[in-house]
Amino acid sequence: MILRTVSSKNTTLYYVQKSYRQENGKNATKYVERLGNIDQLKARFGEEDPIGEARRYVAELTMAEKTAQETITISCKPSALIRKGEKRCSNGGYLFLQKIYYELGLDYICGKIEKRRRNEYDLNEILSTLLYTRLLYPGSKLSSLEDAGNFIEHPESKIHQVYRALSVLAEESDNIQADVYKRSLKLGGRDTGVVYYDLTNYFFEWEEEGGLVQYGHSKEGRPLPIVQMGLFIDREGFPLAMCIEPGNTAETTPLKPMEEKLREKFGLSKMVVCTDGGLSSYGNRKNDSSGERSFVTVQSLKKLKKNLQEWSLDPSGWHAEGKDEEYDLRDMDPDSCYDVLFYKERWDPTAMSGGEVLEQRIIVTFSFKYKAYLSHVRWRQIARAQAVIDSGKGKTARRKSPNDAKRYIKEEHCTRDGELAHITSFSLNQEMIEQESRFDGFYAICTDLEDAAPEIIRLNGGRWQVESLFRNMKTDFKARPVFLKRDDRIKAHFLTCFLSLLMYKYLEKKVNRGGRHFSTDEIISTLRNMNFLHIEGEGYIPTYTRTDLTNNLHGSAGFRTDTQIVPKKTMRSIISQTKKRTSDNDD
């Protein structure tokens, strides 16, 4: 290949030209790539020597083409033993994660921190190792270092350096989150006009309290101390910011400080905050109804004032999207309207404890499909409650959560004459069953937005994405149980989980293009199994199975490792390519 120039009256254009032999045996040439005019060359290769750099680029293309056409012969002796302790198999799946790590500028962020702190270890190497292994080989910090030894590039950090780095990461947590958000904008816009917030908790494998680790309401019913994580995501489901709070902190408390962090460090002040009902107190709603913020939150029908509850359950006055008429649920056929979502709405000025008035809009929805689902769930719970009663184990029927089936078991200590009974009887609580069945099919939302009700209902429907990310962290990435004890290291652990999740979401978005959707388990398992047999002096032979998913991975990354052998020089080039940032013009 050569660098060819084509001149005209206005400008001179530069091309990569290749010679080849046609089927008839005659020589011919063709343009492989258009490099542009001199200004475009300077923008791509630098101001100092753009033409010289362009020639070097063409030489690299020529060498790569020759390498691709080579035939590599491997010589092996059946009588020769492999060297004792020699690792011949390496994982290359981390390279796809490494490309995203550098595209997000996490190496640059680590570099900024090291300039201020002058650490005696490589923070970038430690953070990248923790993130790659959290996705591929989730485990302890020590096991992460050991597992990273399976990568084509081996980290040199020691475990005591990892623990020191955790303390630094904890101190810089808010700045890292803000910086990685700003740098992620170079990969494409982030839709932060609507953000979703939720909170979950993570348990520890000991009973001692201290610092962040406190006893609180465990969402899994475990009698162990916990910490709480608050998480913001954008409208597309990408993690935005997170915080770690003590396990005994009220669920409504972290929301306001988190929003202040988004405003001060992220520069985000205009947004609609969507939350679960348990996280949005009247104080939080009032805070989100001021300035450029608005709120959409779930509202428990059982906790509404009596007049609002009666209005919500009234079968008349309902609407459907795209229809002008008003409906009465008593006149509707459940089968023909099974998938129709009915709604009604009204404004409710709510007086707060400080004398202020919160103007909020209540939107109630009803669905025959949702009614059938709740009814089915209830009857299964009733069956389990009856089984407990029939087994004679009613004495041990103690509720563990508000939705426990044992809530339907009624305990009686009196005879029919009202005398004190020596024997306790257990039966189904029909009154509770009837009371709960009144709310089947109904769902309520509160907001201060004036948009059309169907649009607000759709906005609220995106909350499932936060719950999905929490499941990913807890199950796929094994963020729990936590074995660290120092508060700073606990915070750093969850920061690495948060960043790993962000990297994974970008990888998932790249891979799941073209109509096909690959699950988290498929993607992670494929990366974990992308192993190579190292042939000393020659290169790396892939030992994994090539599939549609591996094709999508290579297509999204811009390099290929699924050839019969990847020569050493090519692998070095791939590694170098994964460490290129989206833009070299860093802030």
Side-chain angles (χ1 to χ4, degrees):
M1 297 185 198
I2 62 171
L3 181 66
R4 177 70 185 274
T5 60
V6 178
S7 299
S8 63
K9 292 182 179 180
N10 300 324
T11 186
T12 298
L13 296 176
Y14 294 83
Y15 293 86
V16 178
Q17 182 177 285
K18 175 184 176 181
S19 300
Y20 67 101
R21 190 178 296 276
Q22 297 177 328
E23 292 182 1
N24 59 12
K26 294 183 179 181
N27 292 329
T29 60
K30 65 178 180 180
Y31 293 137
V32 176
E33 184 179 351
R34 181 183 184 275
L35 300 179
N37 57 29
I38 188 65
D39 292 331
Q40 291 171 314
L41 258 63
K42 289 179 180 179
R44 180 172 178 178
F45 299 110
E47 295 277 350
E48 187 174 343
D49 184 16
I51 295 178
E53 291 296 328
R55 288 197 177 99
R56 278 187 281 274
Y57 170 69
V58 173
E60 289 176 2
L61 291 179
T62 304
M63 182 60 69
E65 184 179 50
K66 288 181 178 178
T67 302
Q69 294 173 351
E70 288 180 356
T71 298
I72 297 176
T73 302
I74 300 170
S75 177
C76 300
K77 294 182 179 180
S79 60
L81 297 176
I82 61 175
R83 287 194 295 270
K84 185 178 180 180
E86 178 186 7
K87 276 194 173 183
R88 295 165 60 85
C89 190
S90 301
N91 176 270
Y94 80 97
L95 292 171
F96 300 92
L97 302 173
Q98 184 161 272
K99 184 171 178 62
I100 296 173
Y101 178 93
Y102 279 82
E103 287 176 347
L104 289 171
L106 283 163
D107 64 312
Y108 170 72
I109 294 170
C110 289
K112 287 202 308 181
I113 295 172
E114 288 184 324
K115 284 181 181 179
R116 295 196 304 268
R117 294 178 174 269
R118 298 182 180 178
N119 302 315
E120 296 180 355
Y121 48 82
D122 190 340
L123 182 62
N124 178 50
E125 180 186 272
I126 291 173
L127 179 59
S128 60
T129 298
L130 292 177
L131 299 194
Y132 305 158
T133 53
R134 176 56 50 188
L135 291 170
L136 300 181
Y137 312 110
S140 68
K141 302 299 173 278
L142 179 59
S143 70
S144 295
L145 276 187
E146 295 172 350
D147 291 330
N150 296 323
F151 296 155
I152 293 174
E153 301 170 275
H154 301 166
E156 298 179 358
S157 303
K158 307 300 181 185
I159 187 61
H160 69 275
Q161 295 174 326
V162 172
Y163 285 126
R164 290 177 186 173
L166 290 178
S167 299
V168 172
L169 292 172
E171 292 177 22
E172 299 282 349
S173 177
D174 288 351
N175 292 328
I176 292 173
Q177 292 177 53
D179 283 350
V180 79
Y181 161 72
K182 292 171 184 176
R183 296 192 62 82
S184 71
L185 298 176
K186 297 181 180 181
L187 301 181
R190 298 281 296 269
D191 188 350
T192 55
V194 177
V195 295
Y196 299 97
Y197 173 79
D198 205 348
L199 183 140
T200 193
N201 48 53
Y202 297 85
F203 64 88
F204 290 69
E205 288 284 17
W206 58 78
E207 298 180 357
E208 182 181 354
E209 290 182 296
L212 290 171
V213 185
Q214 299 288 332
Y215 280 99
H217 174 64
S218 172
K219 295 182 181 294
E220 301 167 33
R222 296 176 183 267
L224 294 169
I226 57 174
V227 297
Q228 299 192 96
M229 170 188 273
L231 178 65
F232 265 115
I233 68 170
D234 63 22
R235 193 170 185 178
E236 292 185 344
F238 284 77
L240 190 60
M242 70 97 189
C243 71
I244 298 297
E245 299 292 335
N248 57 2
T249 303
E251 288 188 334
T252 57
T253 304
L255 179 57
K256 187 174 180 181
M258 282 281 285
E259 291 177 358
E260 289 302 307
K261 181 167 76 172
L262 291 182
R263 183 178 63 82
E264 294 175 2
K265 291 189 174 291
F266 290 63
L268 300 175
S269 57
K270 185 177 182 180
M271 65 183 76
V272 178
V273 181
C274 297
T275 68
D276 187 11
L279 307 177
S280 184
S281 62
Y282 279 113
N284 285 339
R285 296 183 197 183
K286 186 66 178 179
N287 181 63
D288 284 333
S289 64
S290 61
E292 297 181 294
R293 290 194 300 271
S294 298
F295 71 87
V296 176
T297 186
V298 178
Q299 172 63 54
S300 171
L301 284 168
K302 297 175 184 178
K303 295 180 180 179
L304 281 176
K305 292 178 288 187
K306 185 177 180 181
N307 66 312
L308 291 176
Q309 193 178 99
E310 291 175 351
W311 166 79
S312 300
L313 302 180
D314 189 335
S316 62
W318 294 86
H319 301 270
E321 185 177 6
K323 306 291 184 180
D324 295 328
E325 51 266 56
E326 194 172 278
Y327 299 95
D328 190 312
L329 298 179
R330 291 168 294 193
D331 300 332
M332 309 308 296
D333 177 29
D335 293 331
S336 59
C337 300
Y338 189 71
D339 293 317
V340 178
L341 185 67
F342 298 95
Y343 68 89
K344 61 168 61 174
E345 56 182 306
R346 64 178 286 178
W347 284 91
D348 174 49
T350 304
M352 301 177 65
S353 57
E356 304 159 309
V357 175
L358 173 63
E359 289 285 347
Q360 61 178 2
R361 179 178 168 204
I362 300 176
I363 301 173
V364 182
T365 66
F366 175 83
S367 165
F368 286 107
K369 182 178 182 179
Y370 187 44
K371 179 178 181 179
Y373 167 74
L374 292 180
S375 178
H376 173 70
V377 170
R378 176 175 300 101
W379 284 112
R380 289 184 62 184
Q381 292 179 329
I382 292 171
R384 291 201 298 271
Q386 185 64 58
V388 171
I389 295 172
D390 295 341
S391 67
K393 297 179 180 179
K395 291 183 179 180
T396 61
R398 297 292 182 264
R399 289 173 57 181
K400 294 184 178 180
S401 69
N403 294 320
D404 195 324
K406 296 174 184 177
R407 71 186 185 277
Y408 294 128
I409 299 177
K410 181 171 62 174
E411 186 175 338
E412 294 179 309
H413 301 277
C414 295
T415 64
R416 293 181 179 178
D417 298 329
E419 298 177 359
L420 183 64
H422 296 289
I423 300 175
T424 303
S425 63
F426 298 92
S427 60
L428 289 176
N429 191 333
Q430 295 295 339
E431 184 179 349
M432 177 177 287
I433 294 172
E434 292 173 5
Q435 177 65 18
E436 288 192 3
S437 64
R438 295 174 58 228
F439 299 95
D440 284 356
F442 294 92
Y443 187 86
I445 304 169
C446 274
T447 183
D448 63 339
L449 291 172
E450 297 182 3
D451 300 61
E455 177 59 27
I456 294 173
I457 293 168
R458 279 191 286 271
L459 288 183
N460 179 70
R463 289 190 308 104
W464 67 268
Q465 298 176 92
V466 192
E467 297 171 0
S468 176
L469 294 186
F470 281 147
R471 282 195 299 272
N472 285 148
M473 275 197 281
K474 290 182 177 182
T475 56
D476 299 305
F477 309 151
K478 294 181 173 58
R480 51 150 198 205
V482 186
F483 298 100
L484 299 164
K485 290 198 172 184
R486 280 177 41 172
D487 285 355
D488 57 347
R489 293 173 181 175
I490 291 170
K491 286 183 177 180
H493 166 73
F494 286 108
L495 173 66
T496 59
C497 293
F498 168 84
L499 295 174
S500 299
L501 189 62
L502 179 62
M503 283 173 49
Y504 171 75
K505 287 296 293 182
Y506 273 104
L507 178 65
E508 183 183 61
K509 182 180 180 180
K510 287 184 175 185
V511 171
N512 284 332
R513 288 177 177 173
R516 181 163 180 183
H517 178 80
F518 297 97
S519 68
T520 301
D521 184 62
E522 286 178 303
I523 295 173
I524 296 301
S525 296
T526 297
L527 293 178
R528 188 180 295 134
N529 293 318
M530 292 187 77
N531 295 321
F532 297 80
L533 176 63
H534 180 211
I535 306 299
E536 188 173 2
E538 299 296 345
Y540 299 83
I541 296 178
T543 61
Y544 59 87
T545 303
R546 183 183 169 201
T547 63
D548 290 339
L549 177 50
T550 62
N551 286 341
N552 283 23
L553 282 166
H554 288 111
S556 68
F559 60 79
R560 301 208 73 92
T561 65
D562 52 359
T563 54
Q564 291 183 353
I565 186 170
V566 182
K568 285 179 62 178
K569 186 179 291 186
T570 303
M571 184 60 80
R572 284 197 297 268
S573 176
I574 290 173
I575 292 172
S576 176
Q577 183 180 340
T578 63
K579 294 183 179 180
K580 286 184 179 179
R581 299 181 197 142
T582 303
S583 171
D584 292 329
N585 299 321
D586 296 312
D587 301 329

